[in-house]
Amino acid sequence: MGDTSVMKVSSASSPAGEHGQKYLATGVSLSMRLWENAPPMDDKEPVARDYEVVGFVISGRAELHTEGQMLILEPGDSWTVPRGATHTYRILEPFTAVEATHPPFQVHGRDEG
């Protein structure tokens, strides 16, 4: 028999994190979250996380500052943040994006702070 851990998560009823993110489907080695209409904000303190991030912008604009680089993120763009890279986001206009992380961000408190 194959793996039976198939799951469906509706973003309308998924739990939210302390930073406004919605937790979507999570597998053994990969997880997803949705940032929906995140309001404009100045740079947050840079952080380095114990997971790799890939993301896709649905709407809005933001700047990603990482390891001495600045990327403008706009609808249709995708991005990566390597595991352990120091980074921060500056939201320029209401921002909606989906991120996937490996390993899953919420395991052992990786999504805190």
Side-chain angles (χ1 to χ4, degrees):
M1 174 174 253
D3 189 341
T4 60
S5 62
V6 175
M7 96 170 28
K8 174 187 169 183
V9 176
S10 170
S11 66
S13 60
S14 61
E18 66 180 72
H19 303 289
Q21 70 276 33
K22 288 186 176 182
Y23 297 114
L24 303 176
T26 298
V28 173
S29 63
L30 185 69
S31 59
M32 294 175 60
R33 60 186 165 189
L34 171 66
W35 301 89
E36 191 169 36
N37 294 315
M41 65 163 61
D42 290 331
D43 296 345
K44 299 186 303 183
E45 284 296 312
V47 295
R49 302 287 189 197
D50 190 27
Y51 51 78
E52 177 181 34
V53 175
V54 296
F56 180 79
V57 181
I58 297 168
S59 65
R61 294 177 60 243
E63 293 176 356
L64 167 60
H65 297 260
T66 183
E67 300 296 328
Q69 300 176 65
M70 192 272 288
L71 305 172
I72 298 291
L73 303 176
E74 299 178 306
D77 291 346
S78 59
W79 76 92
T80 61
V81 176
R83 175 186 257 181
T86 301
H87 66 285
T88 188
Y89 296 90
R90 180 172 177 235
I91 309 299
L92 303 173
E93 56 189 54
F95 191 68
T96 299
V98 174
E99 290 182 333
T101 66
H102 171 76
F105 50 81
Q106 70 271 40
V107 175
H108 304 295
R110 286 187 181 104
D111 201 29
E112 296 172 4

